[in-house]
Amino acid sequence: MEAKVLGIGEFRKLLSDRVEAAYMRGEPTVIKHGSRNIARAVLVSPEWFERAQAALGETPGKA
């Protein structure tokens, strides 16, 4: 598999677009890594994160 090459400006724009999508439209982004395509991180809206914390009995807003 060939790696995708991004300049720093392209990376910033892509990340900014995905953060905005999570915040404004609730669209999560799963970041995968490696040859086994394992999920490493997820961008979600603050509301989703707070609901997940509450469901787990954690204090909302504390990461």
Side-chain angles (χ1 to χ4, degrees), residues 29-51:
T29 297
V30 179
I31 301 167
K32 295 185 175 185
H33 178 267
S35 61
R36 294 186 341 190
N37 211 23
I38 297 170
R40 298 291 180 155
V42 180
L43 293 172
V44 295
S45 70
E47 292 81 11
W48 189 97
F49 181 67
E50 290 169 0
R51 287 193 310 270

Side-chain angles (χ1 to χ4, degrees), residues 7-23:
I8 193 69
E10 293 170 295
F11 177 74
R12 286 180 177 149
K13 173 78 171 108
L14 180 59
L15 181 58
S16 175
D17 290 348
R18 295 315 309 155
V19 167
E20 190 71 9
Y23 181 74

